[in-house]
Amino acid sequence: MIQKSERNDSPDAHQILAQSLKELADIKFALDQSTIVAITDQRGIINYVNDEFCRISKYSREELLGQDHRIVNSSYHSKDFIRDLWTTIASGKVWKGELRNRAKDGSIYWVDTTIVPFLTSEGKPYQYIAIRHDITQRKLAQEEISRQAALLDESHDAILVRELDETIVYWNRGAEVTYGWTAAEAIGKDARQLLFDDLPPEFEEARRELAETGQWRGELNQVTKDGRMIVVEGRWTLVRDDKNAPSQKLVVNTDITEEKRLQKELQHAAQLSLVGELAAGLAHEIKNPLAGIQGVVDILLRRRDANDPESEALRGVRNEVDRIDQIVRALLDRARPRVLATKPSSLTEVVRRAVNVARAQIFGGSEGGRIRVQFHPPDDPILLPIDAAQIEDAVLNLIINAIQASEDDGRVDVRIFRSPPDETADELDEVMIEVSDKGPGISEENLSRIFNPFFTTTKGGTGLGLPAVRRIVRAHSGRVGVKSVVGEGSTFTIHLPINNAEA
Ligand code: FAD
């Protein structure tokens, strides 16, 4: 800020004054040439403008003098912003800021502005000088970038811009949703560390291809902020600078995890139906010759004396043939999808039947005689429109698996409970049938495969039980969940939706 000097009439003072005035005139000339200048009185009334001001505002000098700056006000800045400008300069301090103004023809221009108050000897402003630079191009470019960024934010895809060393420099809203990291958290980080658990070998290959051809397209397994593994389809494009040198890469990633899951399920379904066809074919092919063998053995048995030593061997053959027949039937039963015959049934009764059959199997069998199957029925009966036989089959399957996984004196718990009613939740009410054991648990690797047809870790198991359980439950619009801790046990849960009208 500049203060008014005292008057001094000595000859030396005249010289100094003349020199100072010249210097001031030179400074003013230099300012006028390079900047937009306006001088106002303490109320803001304009009493000087330079040519640059007239050029940018498109007003003539005559139109501007005697007005205040509201003539160029574009109604963009808030009252608080203007109040801050005024309180700063009125208290004798310099104000700096960027102002958006409207020219006479309505066009918008931006000025980087410094307002310097000139103060009386009492420290009161008596005039203000505004010195400005035209920053319209930069501001319009910024506005355009913000507009484009807003458009990119509309996209559901994750859009990233990365330096060639993989530092993230742009992260759109879609990326925030896909990965869980906010732009503030992601920008400046190395994408290889942020988005991958272990960098797959394809990543380096993709970088090579991008350098050679300018683009790359492919799938990558990545990890989100909360540790979820996702599959993305990535499209990378090399961005070049004005000298055509590679500078950055634009990455557009689409989360295809769900699509992949559905694809896998379709493959499972196809595998299952193939199994069904194979089993039906097998049963057809085997059952006739089996019946033939059974008939011949029966004839041979009838022809022999009860004491004939060969009778014993023939009875053994007869038993083995019966066993093969049973296995073929069981395979056919498990693999062939059955039509759903639903009617309102008491879930407690259905599960109790499965528990009783399982208990009978324990006591009938040589192994697992001391394993206890504990049933915890719900307080109130639950009536659901289900195919009782199929649900019983599914529950029995889970209980038998749990028994097989348990130690000799182990215990299997079977519970039925209802999800607490929650009117705000999106999910429907459901009933859960839970079968848990305290066996060895299932490793994470096996957990992802246990519903695959033919996958089994049990000696003599067919690997068809769990796929069948899942098929039955899905046919009831439900789902099967599993939680397992190695060394502590496993819990399988059948979730069945409740149609409130019928529950
Ligand atoms: P106003 O009602 O004029 O002002 C808003 C608030 O500012 C008021 O509520 C009050 O708190 C405070 N205020 C206003 N006038 C005074 C005053 N005389 N003394 C103390 N406080 C006051 N505006 C632009 O839009 N673009 C510019 O380029 C620009 N350059 C300026 C350069 C100088 C040197 C000065 C002194 C002012 C400049 N202004 C500029 C501010 C301008 O004078 C107006 O205050 C502003 O345009 C807002 O007008 P308004 O009608 O929206 O609000």
Side-chain angles (χ1 to χ4, degrees):
M1 66 242 72
I2 294 153
Q3 290 203 338
K4 254 185 180 171
S5 56
E6 294 296 314
R7 240 179 106 78
N8 191 332
D9 287 339
S10 75
D12 269 3
H14 268 297
Q15 253 182 4
I16 294 168
L17 189 62
Q19 180 64 24
S20 300
L21 282 174
K22 186 176 176 314
E23 271 176 22
L24 270 179
D26 287 348
I27 292 170
K28 185 167 167 293
F29 177 74
L31 272 180
D32 275 349
Q33 293 307 304
S34 57
T35 56
I36 302 155
V37 183
I39 300 177
T40 73
D41 66 12
Q42 80 280 12
R43 293 166 302 146
I45 305 295
I46 301 170
N47 51 39
Y48 173 82
V49 286
N50 71 349
D51 291 345
E52 282 299 293
F53 194 112
C54 297
R55 188 191 58 73
I56 197 163
S57 69
K58 301 193 170 80
Y59 285 104
S60 69
R61 186 163 278 108
E62 293 69 43
E63 285 172 310
L64 291 167
L65 296 179
Q67 300 289 332
D68 64 30
H69 278 87
R70 278 179 294 191
I71 192 168
V72 288
N73 185 309
S74 66
S75 307
Y76 174 81
H77 301 289
S78 67
K79 286 269 173 214
D80 282 348
F81 180 87
I82 298 292
R83 195 171 298 125
D84 172 68
L85 178 158
W86 275 107
T87 36
T88 306
I89 59 174
S91 66
K93 294 198 210 84
V94 174
W95 182 88
K96 284 176 196 283
E98 293 179 345
L99 288 164
R100 184 182 189 266
N101 285 342
R102 189 186 302 282
K104 186 178 177 181
D105 66 357
S107 62
I108 294 298
Y109 67 92
W110 278 88
V111 276
D112 174 60
T113 302
T114 304
I115 303 178
V116 184
F118 282 41
L119 307 179
T120 62
S121 50
E122 288 86 42
K124 287 257 173 332
Y126 66 92
Q127 70 173 21
Y128 300 111
I129 175 161
I131 302 160
R132 312 169 223 239
H133 295 278
D134 182 3
I135 53 165
T136 311
Q137 286 314 314
R138 167 163 72 78
K139 291 300 274 192
L140 292 184
Q142 266 177 11
E143 277 175 8
E144 184 55 26
I145 288 170
S146 309
R147 241 196 315 276
Q148 286 179 1
L151 274 181
L152 291 179
D153 275 347
E154 291 291 305
S155 164
H156 289 300
D157 288 336
I159 302 177
L160 291 70
V161 178
R162 309 211 290 246
E163 300 288 5
L164 296 179
D165 69 358
E166 303 300 340
T167 306
I168 297 164
V169 291
Y170 175 75
W171 185 263
N172 78 335
R173 177 87 195 101
E176 290 188 332
V177 173
T178 305
Y179 298 106
W181 299 103
T182 63
E185 289 169 324
I187 288 172
K189 299 270 165 40
D190 186 321
R192 288 168 297 194
Q193 275 148 30
L194 195 73
L195 306 180
F196 296 91
D197 247 356
D198 291 310
L199 204 63
E202 303 90 278
F203 189 83
E204 279 311 314
E205 280 166 31
R207 279 172 60 123
R208 256 196 304 281
E209 194 176 318
L210 181 75
E212 281 164 19
T213 66
Q215 44 196 346
W216 174 82
R217 204 185 173 111
E219 287 176 14
L220 287 170
N221 290 322
Q222 299 186 321
V223 65
T224 62
K225 184 178 180 181
D226 58 11
R228 244 177 339 107
M229 295 306 296
I230 59 168
V231 188
V232 298
E233 188 192 80
R235 275 94 67 209
W236 296 3
T237 310
L238 196 62
V239 181
R240 294 175 181 276
D241 62 17
D242 0 330
K243 294 183 192 78
N244 206 30
S247 62
Q248 291 176 324
K249 67 176 166 193
L250 172 72
V251 175
V252 181
N253 284 339
T254 312
D255 184 351
I256 53 165
T257 317
E258 188 56 18
E259 209 178 302
K260 286 263 153 194
R261 195 184 62 77
L262 285 174
Q263 248 177 33
K264 239 187 190 164
E265 283 194 2
L266 277 175
Q267 270 171 7
H268 284 167
Q271 265 177 311
L272 268 181
S273 97
L274 185 70
V275 169
E277 275 173 35
L278 279 176
L282 202 69
H284 184 74
E285 293 296 322
I286 292 177
K287 273 171 77 182
N288 288 345
L290 268 186
I293 297 169
Q294 273 170 342
V296 172
V297 175
D298 284 347
I299 291 169
L300 291 175
L301 268 173
R302 271 202 303 276
R303 282 195 190 155
R304 274 168 177 73
D305 236 9
N307 301 330
D308 190 328
E310 285 182 356
S311 291
E312 186 58 31
L314 282 171
R315 268 194 293 277
V317 173
R318 185 71 168 86
N319 283 344
E320 290 306 304
V321 171
D322 279 351
R323 218 155 68 85
I324 296 172
D325 191 40
Q326 268 173 24
I327 291 171
V328 170
R329 276 170 204 275
L331 184 67
L332 185 60
D333 203 39
R334 285 278 155 82
R336 191 174 51 197
R338 282 177 281 168
V339 181
L340 219 59
T342 56
K343 65 171 201 284
S345 317
S346 156
L347 209 57
T348 311
E349 288 318 307
V350 171
V351 175
R352 193 191 302 282
R353 274 203 298 273
V355 169
N356 288 340
V357 174
R359 281 179 183 149
Q361 286 203 6
I362 297 171
F363 292 112
S366 54
E367 281 181 313
R370 299 218 308 275
I371 295 174
R372 276 180 307 141
V373 179
Q374 205 80 33
F375 179 39
H376 312 265
D379 293 339
D380 301 317
I382 299 172
L383 214 59
L384 274 189
I386 50 171
D387 183 321
Q390 291 203 36
I391 292 290
E392 184 187 324
D393 230 23
V395 177
L396 179 61
N397 209 303
L398 294 183
I399 303 175
I400 301 288
N401 285 354
I403 293 171
Q404 281 170 351
S406 298
E407 297 282 320
D408 271 1
D409 53 353
R411 162 183 167 154
V412 172
D413 287 285
V414 183
R415 288 188 180 79
I416 303 177
F417 51 93
R418 235 182 120 141
S419 62
D422 181 357
E423 275 148 31
T424 58
D426 287 343
E427 295 199 356
L428 290 170
D429 271 0
E430 48 180 25
V431 176
M432 272 90 85
I433 308 165
E434 191 184 86
V435 178
S436 49
D437 63 68
K438 307 252 178 305
I442 305 165
S443 72
E444 208 166 306
E445 190 196 348
N446 285 346
L447 212 52
S448 60
R449 294 154 68 196
I450 52 172
F451 288 98
N452 289 359
F454 298 122
F455 177 82
T456 179
T457 57
T458 321
K459 200 164 156 257
T462 59
L464 292 172
L466 283 180
V469 171
R470 187 158 73 169
R471 195 190 60 233
I472 292 170
V473 175
R474 283 199 178 153
H476 287 81
S477 307
R479 68 191 164 89
V480 186
V482 53
K483 281 191 191 131
S484 189
V485 180
V486 172
E488 290 183 19
S490 310
T491 299
F492 283 78
T493 312
I494 293 176
H495 300 252
L496 293 173
I498 301 177
N499 178 341
N500 282 322
E502 286 165 283

